[in-house]
Amino acid sequence: QVQLVESGGGLVQAGGSLRLSCAASRNIFDANTMGWYRRAPGKQRELVAVIFSNGGTNYADSVKGRFTISRDNAKNTVYLQMNSLKPEDTAVYYCNAAIFTNNFWGQGTQVTVSS
């Protein structure tokens, strides 16, 4: 089991930046992937970015070049640096840990981008 707690969301103007953090309750060395997902109002949850155990990353096309996912194993934390934010980035952002056959989720953090 692992508990995930997101933080760093808020209200920002278009073009601004935010950094989301996801703190895990224990070390996450065994996670196959750590990722960020989001759910916008009226839409399904979608993958934003994922980081693999070997450090490789993958991003949704809509955020490539603007968002960066990273992990600090010493702090059991995963980050999502979001730059050049757009109103369409408005959503609840969720942290995910995929460990073997289990998926763990945080409670989500709201990101609102005003135009």
Side-chain angles (χ1 to χ4, degrees):
Q1 288 287 340
V2 61
Q3 283 73 50
L4 304 173
V5 179
E6 302 99 333
S7 61
L11 173 65
V12 64
Q13 289 188 332
S17 297
L18 284 173
R19 189 176 80 156
L20 305 183
S21 298
C22 171
S25 59
R26 64 167 179 80
N27 74 69
I28 50 177
F29 293 118
D30 58 346
N32 303 100
T33 63
M34 297 289 299
W36 288 95
Y37 291 72
R38 67 186 181 188
R39 177 176 285 153
K43 295 186 178 182
Q44 291 187 333
R45 185 171 58 196
E46 63 175 355
L47 173 68
V48 176
V50 63
I51 185 165
F52 301 95
S53 57
N54 64 2
T57 59
N58 195 26
Y59 296 91
D61 288 342
S62 59
V63 307
K64 283 181 181 177
R66 300 188 298 123
F67 291 10
T68 303
I69 188 171
S70 61
R71 62 193 292 171
D72 185 336
N73 287 338
K75 295 183 178 179
N76 300 331
T77 301
V78 176
Y79 303 98
L80 185 67
Q81 178 67 44
M82 306 186 295
N83 299 327
S84 303
L85 283 161
K86 304 175 181 180
E88 51 263 44
D89 295 318
T90 295
V92 178
Y93 284 70
Y94 298 90
C95 179
N96 170 268
I99 303 175
F100 298 109
T101 59
N102 297 312
N103 270 291
F104 301 94
W105 295 93
Q107 82 288 350
T109 185
Q110 176 71 46
V111 171
T112 303
V113 184
S114 63
S115 58

